[in-house]
Amino acid sequence: MSSSPQHPAPAPTDLSGTDVEDLALYREKFRRRLPASLEELHGPTQGVVELPLHMAWSGMTSYDLSKPRQRMGLYRTVLHEGLHDDLPRYLNQGLLLQLWPVLRTLVGRTVRTVWEDVFPQLASRTQAAAGRTCRSCTRGSWQM
C-alpha cells in the first residue's frame, strides 16, 4: 500500500474492519521476514549482485553496488520482495544504516513502518540525518 500526494493512503479512521484486518496481515507478512537483529545482515558491500527471480521478477536482476542508484534499487527490491533467508544474504547492516534516511522514502509505508518499529536504530538514523540537514541549513549550506 503506497501513497503519493495525489493518492494518499487512507487514514486508519477511514478503514473498514476488513481493511484494518488486511493491513494487519500485510504488515505481518513483512514482520515475519525480518531478521532477529540487524547484526545478522552480512550481505555484500561491493561488486555486482545477482538477485534470484523470486525477488527480481519484474525488473533488473543484476545490481552494481558501486552505482548509487543500483545500490538503492537493490535494497528497495530486497526489502519488498526478499524472504527471511534472503535478507541476511543480500543486505548489509552498515550499508542499510547508511542508506536508510533516503531508502525509507523509496519503500512503501508498510515496509518502512515494520522495519522502524522492530529496529528503532533505523528511525534514529533518520532523525540524526534530519538534524544534520537542519544544522547545515542554518549555516546557509544545503549539503549534509
Side-chain angles (χ1 to χ4, degrees):
M1 175 185 292
S2 65
S3 64
S4 68
Q6 298 86 8
H7 304 286
T13 57
D14 296 343
L15 298 175
S16 70
T18 303
D19 291 336
V20 169
E21 190 174 309
D22 288 347
L23 182 57
L25 288 171
Y26 189 60
R27 283 185 179 144
E28 187 58 28
K29 172 182 115 171
F30 289 106
R31 192 170 282 116
R32 277 190 234 133
R33 296 175 181 183
L34 295 177
S37 74
L38 292 181
E39 287 77 28
E40 292 181 21
L41 304 178
H42 295 288
T45 59
Q46 57 188 8
V48 175
V49 176
E50 299 285 336
L51 289 181
L53 288 177
H54 74 271
M55 280 191 286
W57 52 269
S58 68
M60 291 177 55
T61 59
S62 180
Y63 296 84
D64 183 344
L65 292 176
S66 69
K67 297 181 178 180
R69 282 180 179 248
Q70 289 189 29
R71 186 171 52 236
M72 201 67 77
L74 169 74
Y75 272 64
R76 183 177 185 273
T77 299
V78 173
L79 288 171
H80 277 277
E81 305 298 336
L83 302 175
H84 180 76
D85 292 341
D86 295 321
L87 300 179
R89 183 177 303 134
Y90 295 102
L91 300 179
N92 177 275
Q93 176 187 2
L95 198 48
L96 178 65
L97 289 168
Q98 176 189 340
L99 297 175
W100 190 256
V102 173
L103 183 61
R104 72 181 304 275
T105 68
L106 302 175
V107 298
R109 179 184 295 177
T110 300
V111 171
R112 177 177 57 246
T113 301
V114 166
W115 277 82
E116 289 182 348
D117 284 352
V118 174
F119 305 115
Q121 61 268 50
L122 292 173
S124 67
R125 292 281 299 190
T126 301
Q127 293 164 353
R132 284 193 307 271
T133 301
C134 291
R135 284 191 301 275
S136 296
C137 294
T138 61
R139 290 191 305 258
S141 170
W142 293 96
Q143 298 177 2
M144 286 185 65

